[in-house]
Amino acid sequence: MTSAPASPTPTALDGDTSPLRSLERRELHTGWTVRAVAGPVPAHLAARLDAPVPATVPGTVHTDLVTAGIVPDPYLDDNEHVLAWIGRCDWEYRTTFEWSPDGHERHDLVADGLDTVAAVSLNGYLLAETANQHRTYRLPVDEHLRPGTNELVVRFASPLAYAAAQSVAMSYRPHTNPHPFNAIRKMACSFGWDWGLETATSGIWRPLALEAWSGARLAAVRPVATVEGSAHTPPAADAPVAARLAVHVDLEHAVRAEGSGGAAVEMPAAVDVRVAVHVAGLVTTALVPAGATSAVVDVDLPAVRRWWPRGFGEQPLYEVTVELLADAGGSVVVAPFPTTEPTTSPAAAAPREPRAVVGPLDVRRHRVGFRTVRLEMEPDEHDGEPGTSFRFVVNDQPVFVRGANWIPDDAFPHRVTRERYAARIAQAEQANINLLRVWGGGIYEADDFYDLCDERGILTWQDFLFACAAYAEEDEAEVRDNVVRLAPHPSLVLWNGNNENLWGFHDWDWQPRLQGRTWGLGYYTGLLPALLAELDPGRPYTPGSPWSGTLELHPNLDAHGSVHLWDAWNRQGYEVYRDHVARFVAEFGWQGPPTWSTLRDALSDDPLTPESPGMLVHQKAAQGNDKLTDGLLPHFALPDDMDDWHWAMSLNQANALTVGIEHLRSWSPVCMGSVVWQLNDCWPVTSWAAVDGAGRAKPLLSALRHAYRDRLVTLQPRRPDGGAPVPGGPSVLAVVVVNDSPDAWGGTLVQRRVRYDGTVLAETSAVVGLAPRETRTLLLPDDVATAASARDELVVATLGDELGLWFFAEPRDSALTGSGPDASVRVLERAGDPPLPVPGSLRTAARSTGPAHRYEVAVTARELTRDVALLADKVHPDATVDDQLVTLLPGESVTFTVTSPAALDTDALVARSVLRSANQLVPGTGTPRGDA
């Protein structure tokens, strides 16, 4: 790019004594266009894309072209492949904005997110070339701003071409994708994943702004909240405690002087300023003398309320306002400094006059919570074998993690609004989830995500963005940007170095391919912990997930630290979850299709079958359909009907995770965490998610709700001595009672062996009392634990309202019959807000302005009916139901509440395709009877 000579822009230092004003931020989000400037644009679109197309900032090329009607929605049918050319093209974004001298000394263009390989120019001057989606860039523009109209251009190079070239330039390193996503600092899953489409998009994906400021600005603010006092004598959860807030501040000063040739150069600080911290009704200030660029303001707080995870207490948050102020007297004194060259200018040699200040120079606002957190990885022993614990302790209280993995909620993350984050986190709460792990192949989520987790007591685990690949070891700016941004959040309890890269180095044949090259270990064991020691020393860190606690051990061992369990699903059925007595499981999961409405919105296949073209495009897992089939067959026959296939695979997904979670919880406190893969999806796809890509809850979400409830009764196999059974070895049946609540729990634990018709064949009971957070195991007597007829008997264990079931036979081998339950519908008075329209690109539903339509669907079993569910989205795509997957003994009832933005057909609510059960998947079963 060629440049013309710059015209100097007047600044407030050129003899100006006008008042200094606060930093002003002006977002540059209007007037943008985008066009293709290089690459394989299809011939029929070449003329259209050579001309400017209206663009949205924040946004991406794909969404701009969809909005303009130039390309179809990539989420639908096979459009992903139709639009693959977009990632191979170069794109140019362009806008203009008006500017006039405003009295400020400095002007910076601040780009919060450029995706990814960008050249940023202002009025023909190249400001920067960037290649990191995960960074913020601050670009001084004083020399290039012009009074009047200014033209801003951001040109993006093809990320696919860049990654391919970098892979060679940096030397090949192994990865798990057709594209070398590890050679570019871009959201890894934008190159496709085993649940995600390939977009490889480009765009200004986070806000872009012009900031004007004078005197000095707050370059970085890190409030560090700590609780004072003894670490092992915690007061009551709601008791006030002494605390300290240490606010670390980095400053940038605006003093400038003339260098040789009239070029402006930055000079050392020439101002005295004060930093004022407002928190909990206190104001504490500290002087930052001229020349200093950092300070720490300590605030002692005699009595604060602690922040707790959900289920342990409340989440009080304290507003922290940090102001950068002129020194006493409300003025900034600009002292003389020598320039890089001798000067004869009297103005340069004379002291500046004090300048009045209007308001603070800069202000930052944060919210903090006061809590302690540690990750205990200590030697332990189970069944006589040594191990290593993996236990989160918050405010000195061990927390059993009932978690889920989080991926970007949209393949185009700029579309994820605060409202959408709130909806998804509310679904996590419905599922009794207390931790979300932000997976390392995505992004550092927007502040809204962590703010909402802070408010709701959802713990967060943040991977650094290195996933399933070997990485060259580069610069640290990305880490600094995001650690400083996220560190204030009390919900954040763990930084993790990578996803599966230590495991990959051991087991995925990387070592010979690397030929001695670096692969990321220096990041995980050197750079990252060193930066965290500097920037966020009070928060735990692990080098990777899975992690056994030391490089001397294999990284994925049940007995040591965290593990990822993928033998189930990839190679074996979900029963093998019970073979793992792990200390903490950070990934395990089972696939299921999206909800029916999402599937039909996304695919126009006719007929729609498990292997129709669109279904295969929207199944990204290797041999995914084969694994679905293989995992279903031990439990159900493979249906020939598409509707039944969809229900069978949805139910099997839910059952798989129920088995896994209840098994892991039954081994608490040896095991202290279950983090399922995954909560959410980024587009409509068959995947491991509990919430599909249109935001609809799959049956799995209800399964999580049940398996993650505070109080759990579950029946599990054990050795006769109470230990973990060895595959092929002797086992008995035990009832395990889990009280993961803050209150004691007790009563009569009743254990019965029951025939499917409700006849009690054997019964025993015991009075039990559990302390808060206690787990108790009782072996069943033989007459209860042993079936006379496996195909039509089960064990039922109850303690109060909690129920656990054990079936001796799989549904396909059982005596389940299917005349169907009785069902009736009652129309309730309209009340409350209707469900929100499903977000995303699939449909644009109008939000109802009136109260919601509500219905009660009462279901009564005439015979044993397993896993009753009501698939409300089949009646209206935005209808929701409050529960699913309830097993009923003969004569038992359940009432579901359905909420919809529109009136529903009551007969449809009890139709066979809507009111579902496992019985329907056993040959010869019938339909429910409706008398609405």
Side-chain angles (χ1 to χ4, degrees), residues 734-760:
V735 57
V736 184
V737 183
V738 180
N739 181 24
D740 192 11
S741 82
D743 302 313
W745 182 30
T748 301
L749 176 64
V750 179
Q751 305 134 68
R752 297 175 292 152
R753 179 164 56 90
V754 181
R755 191 177 290 130
Y756 282 11
D757 64 7
T759 303
V760 177

Side-chain angles (χ1 to χ4, degrees), residues 65-78:
L65 299 187
V66 170
T67 300
I70 296 172
V71 301
D73 190 330
Y75 284 11
L76 307 182
D77 296 317
D78 192 17

Side-chain angles (χ1 to χ4, degrees), residues 436-460:
L436 294 173
R437 175 194 173 214
V438 183
W439 169 75
I443 59 174
Y444 302 100
E445 296 290 339
D447 292 334
D448 286 335
F449 171 84
Y450 306 93
D451 286 342
L452 290 163
C453 288
D454 291 345
E455 293 172 6
R456 299 182 179 191
I458 303 289
L459 303 175
T460 56

Side-chain angles (χ1 to χ4, degrees), residues 789-840:
S789 174
R791 67 185 303 270
D792 65 350
E793 294 180 17
L794 73 154
V795 176
V796 181
T798 58
L799 178 58
D801 294 333
E802 298 302 328
L803 171 77
L805 302 174
W806 179 269
F807 290 89
F808 294 104
E810 293 294 341
R812 67 173 300 160
D813 302 319
S814 74
L816 284 177
T817 58
S819 59
D822 295 317
S824 63
V825 181
R826 184 165 74 96
V827 180
L828 302 178
E829 183 178 350
R830 294 181 66 184
D833 293 330
L836 294 175
V838 174

Side-chain angles (χ1 to χ4, degrees), residues 869-895:
L870 199 156
L871 307 182
D873 72 283
K874 288 187 168 185
V875 183
H876 186 285
D878 290 326
T880 61
V881 65
D882 63 336
D883 199 9
Q884 298 200 70
L885 304 178
V886 179
T887 292
L888 300 174
L889 295 173
E892 292 183 341
S893 298
V894 65
T895 299

Side-chain angles (χ1 to χ4, degrees), residues 464-621:
F464 288 103
L465 301 186
F466 307 101
C468 301
Y471 286 83
E473 295 166 13
E474 297 178 342
D475 64 76
E476 63 189 52
E478 172 191 320
V479 176
R480 286 187 176 276
D481 276 1
N482 289 286
V483 170
V484 169
R485 178 170 70 90
L486 301 184
H489 292 283
S491 59
L492 180 58
V493 294
L494 183 69
W495 293 105
N496 176 59
N498 70 82
N499 177 74
E500 298 188 346
N501 297 350
L502 303 177
W503 187 14
F505 181 78
H506 273 264
D507 287 358
W508 300 352
D509 298 321
W510 287 4
Q511 295 182 46
R513 301 177 202 161
L514 283 166
Q515 302 180 86
R517 300 185 185 105
T518 59
W519 55 278
L521 186 63
Y523 271 144
Y524 315 137
T525 61
L527 177 66
L528 296 180
L531 289 174
L532 290 171
E534 172 193 346
L535 300 172
D536 193 21
R539 207 170 325 250
Y541 169 76
T542 51
S545 185
W547 171 241
S548 59
T550 172
L551 293 174
E552 302 303 314
L553 293 173
H554 188 282
N556 200 33
L557 297 174
D558 283 353
H560 296 276
S562 63
V563 297
H564 294 189
L565 298 182
W566 286 112
D567 50 349
W569 169 254
N570 276 328
R571 292 180 296 279
Q572 297 174 276
Y574 57 73
E575 303 81 6
V576 302
Y577 287 138
R578 296 193 179 109
D579 297 341
H580 298 274
V581 182
R583 300 307 190 264
F584 189 103
V585 182
E587 281 189 20
F588 67 111
W590 200 269
Q591 271 203 346
T595 61
W596 187 258
S597 291
T598 298
L599 201 61
R600 296 308 291 162
D601 283 347
L603 302 180
S604 59
D605 293 4
D606 187 13
L608 179 69
T609 75
E611 296 180 317
S612 59
M615 285 293 292
L616 295 181
V617 169
H618 291 246
Q619 164 61 279
K620 296 297 185 181

Side-chain angles (χ1 to χ4, degrees), residues 258-276:
E258 294 298 313
S260 60
V265 295
E266 292 194 17
M267 301 300 295
V271 298
D272 288 348
V273 293
R274 287 187 177 272
V275 176

